[in-house]
Amino acid sequence: MSYPHYHMGSGSRTARRSLEFGKTHVVRPKGKHQATIVWLHGLGDNGLSSYQLLESLPLPNIKWICPTAPTRPVTILGGFSCTAWFDMGELSEDGPDDWEGLDASASHIANLLSTEPADVKVGIGGFSMGAAVAQYSATCFAMGRYGNGIPYPVNLRAVVGLSGWLPGSRSLRNKIEVSHEARRRAASLPVLLSHGISDDVVLYKYGEKSAQSLSSAGFRYITFKSYDG
């Protein structure tokens, strides 16, 4: 789906109601099950699109879980309803984030991983808005709780973000550096971020800023890859 250029930060809060997540699609491992990754689609997309792409990858030891975001009014689209992990608006990087929506999505994703076998490594990845939620989940893992204070239940082993951004990047360092456990968890989690230099939807500088913010907050294993185009 194509949608307008926007600045990072999520939108003004819309009237809250119970939002239902859509259908989840699963790619079963074709070999020995060694890892499970929840993969998150972008704004206006769905889990089936992710499923169709991921099932063709030659990664036989990975189970892919591809959920679908709730359908909700989205401020950046003038209130038009589509699948979105949280609300967002055309605000600056300093704008308010939809913490309630972020926490709801991060919790739904963690629940999908919570029943995986103990010997299976678990991770979260995503594209665009999905990458934002993946990175937000990384910060919840590091702090040991969601933004609302509820404990984060999953031992993440990897996070991947393609063409995304980091919600709450400005305050992240202050939140993590006050806790020894948060610093330890942040330092243990590998994060791979990538971004196209000419991206005109999520600007490249926001991907770059995400990597810098995570690194300065104590995430030691950050890999940031840029691509032409």
Side-chain angles (χ1 to χ4, degrees), residues 194-206:
S194 68
H195 219 104
I197 293 173
S198 303
D199 193 327
D200 61 356
V201 177
V202 181
L203 299 183
Y204 175 80
K205 67 178 181 180
Y206 292 114

Side-chain angles (χ1 to χ4, degrees), residues 49-63:
S49 295
S50 302
Y51 169 87
Q52 290 171 336
L53 171 66
L54 295 168
E55 71 172 346
S56 66
L57 296 182
L59 298 169
N61 306 117
I62 297 178
K63 173 184 175 182

Side-chain angles (χ1 to χ4, degrees), residues 193-228:
L193 304 178
S194 68
H195 219 104
I197 293 173
S198 303
D199 193 327
D200 61 356
V201 177
V202 181
L203 299 183
Y204 175 80
K205 67 178 181 180
Y206 292 114
E208 199 172 40
K209 172 69 173 175
S210 298
Q212 292 169 352
S213 296
L214 288 167
S215 180
S216 67
F219 287 80
R220 294 181 185 174
Y221 299 108
I222 300 287
T223 301
F224 181 70
K225 293 184 177 293
S226 59
Y227 297 91
D228 292 335

Side-chain angles (χ1 to χ4, degrees), residues 106-179:
S107 177
H108 178 71
I109 295 154
N111 287 340
L112 292 173
L113 290 170
S114 63
T115 56
E116 291 302 293
D119 62 341
V120 169
K121 297 177 181 178
V122 297
I124 302 172
F127 169 72
S128 194
M129 178 180 267
V133 179
Q135 292 178 66
Y136 179 69
S137 296
T139 67
C140 293
F141 164 72
M143 292 185 289
R145 55 181 171 79
Y146 300 102
N148 59 19
I150 295 174
Y152 188 79
V154 175
N155 181 26
L156 285 184
R157 301 296 296 273
V159 167
V160 179
L162 311 181
S163 304
W165 69 96
L166 174 63
S169 60
R170 283 179 56 109
S171 60
L172 179 61
R173 181 175 178 178
N174 291 338
K175 290 178 179 177
I176 289 182
E177 66 184 5
V178 297
S179 164

